[in-house]
Amino acid sequence: ADECRIYTDVDGVYTTDPRVEPKARRLDRITFEEMLEMASLGSKVLQIRAVEFAGKYNVPLRVLSTFDDGPGTLITYEDEDMEQALISGIAFNRDEAKLTVEGVPDRPGIAAAILGPIADANIEVDMIVQNVAEDDTTDFTFTVHRNDYPRALEILEQVRQDLNARKVTGDDRIVKVSLVGVGMRSHAGIASRMFRALAQENINIRMISTSEIKISVVLDEKYLELAVRTLHDAFELDKAS
């Protein structure tokens, strides 16, 4: 097939959720890789499995509206023209929670000792940060889905006792905001530009995670809308590249 057309209640894939940023722009094209990242990070236009299947069998997808005519958004493989887009979109996830085990002995096997019981409870872990202090202890922080927060907190209290750690803290009022774009591969300074834009709005970053085409930050949930709009403006996503 030349392409697979998927009709939905929206007329394509947007730079971000128009309900949060009214200046969000419909994308003419986006890569499979970018769409997979955005879907996994909270964008709900397409199911991840559909994008994976289309990419595996090299069948371009076109997202179209059931109710209105229009070209929609083509999801396909990366080419030279698409490489010019620095950032394709901003995804966000409201269903995040953060947990920290403080004062854990800094020795081999600690990560497994903490995350093993979490995995045994079928709780999926997302971002992980470990900080080492001067007294040979470490603070181990990770995020989970907000629905899993109470159970994870309960498990970590037992882990804390087993490891003789200082205490367990948590926060279930956080969000994850992510920049996605294949242009990150060939352009430096994206992270610093992102962090500077957030700092200018006095938005504190709690955690950071990066990959080849993605930068994610964890923020207090009260800053979600402001952060998305700030980054959308900072990277001029309302303008076609």
Side-chain angles (χ1 to χ4, degrees):
D2 292 334
E3 65 181 35
C4 172
R5 297 185 174 184
I6 298 179
Y7 290 86
T8 70
D9 58 350
V10 295
D11 64 346
V13 179
Y14 278 70
T15 49
T16 195
D17 190 335
R19 293 170 296 184
V20 172
E21 171 51 272
K23 293 188 292 185
R25 175 177 55 85
R26 181 185 56 79
L27 297 166
D28 293 327
R29 304 173 76 186
I30 188 172
T31 68
F32 283 118
E33 195 173 2
E34 289 170 321
M35 193 65 241
L36 279 171
E37 286 282 11
M38 291 183 70
S40 68
L41 293 166
S43 176
K44 297 182 171 57
V45 176
L46 289 176
Q47 291 287 336
I48 294 176
R49 195 70 177 136
V51 183
E52 287 177 339
F53 254 76
K56 178 180 179 180
Y57 294 104
N58 196 20
V59 178
L61 293 175
R62 188 177 295 275
V63 180
L64 297 161
S65 171
T66 305
F67 311 104
D68 300 303
D69 293 333
T73 298
L74 180 66
I75 304 169
T76 185
Y77 280 103
E78 182 181 341
D79 59 29
E80 291 182 1
D81 292 335
M82 298 178 75
E83 184 72 23
Q84 296 173 5
L86 192 61
I87 300 297
S88 290
I90 301 172
F92 57 84
N93 189 349
R94 303 176 189 267
D95 300 321
E96 296 276 329
K98 178 173 71 74
L99 301 110
T100 301
V101 186
E102 299 182 14
V104 178
D106 184 24
R107 62 172 186 260
I110 285 299
I114 293 173
L115 296 181
I118 296 294
D120 291 342
N122 292 317
I123 296 175
E124 185 176 345
V125 172
D126 185 11
M127 300 169 67
I128 302 172
V129 173
Q130 184 172 352
N131 299 312
V132 179
E134 294 181 357
D135 60 352
D136 292 327
T137 65
T138 182
D139 293 344
F140 194 93
T141 302
F142 60 93
T143 61
V144 298
H145 192 281
R146 192 171 292 183
N147 290 344
D148 293 322
Y149 176 72
R151 177 64 177 144
L153 201 59
E154 180 183 330
I155 292 170
L156 287 186
E157 185 53 42
Q158 181 60 53
V159 170
R160 181 197 68 78
Q161 297 176 30
D162 295 342
L163 296 178
N164 197 28
R166 188 163 56 248
K167 65 177 179 178
V168 174
T169 59
D171 186 353
D172 63 350
R173 290 292 177 262
I174 60 169
V175 293
K176 181 170 65 174
V177 177
S178 306
L179 293 182
V180 177
V182 293
M184 291 186 195
R185 291 193 180 116
S186 55
H187 293 80
I190 305 301
S192 62
R193 186 171 165 186
M194 178 186 192
F195 303 156
R196 189 181 307 114
L198 294 174
Q200 288 172 348
E201 296 295 334
N202 292 316
I203 299 174
N204 190 37
I205 297 172
R206 308 280 294 275
M207 297 175 72
I208 301 169
S209 174
T210 65
S211 72
E212 192 177 23
I213 66 166
K214 173 202 72 181
I215 304 172
S216 296
V217 294
V218 167
L219 315 167
D220 291 337
E221 69 173 0
K222 65 182 179 181
Y223 293 122
L224 173 62
E225 288 81 5
L226 177 60
V228 170
R229 292 170 186 164
T230 296
L231 294 174
H232 203 273
D233 286 343
F235 289 92
E236 300 181 327
L237 296 184
D238 57 322
K239 302 175 183 177
S241 59

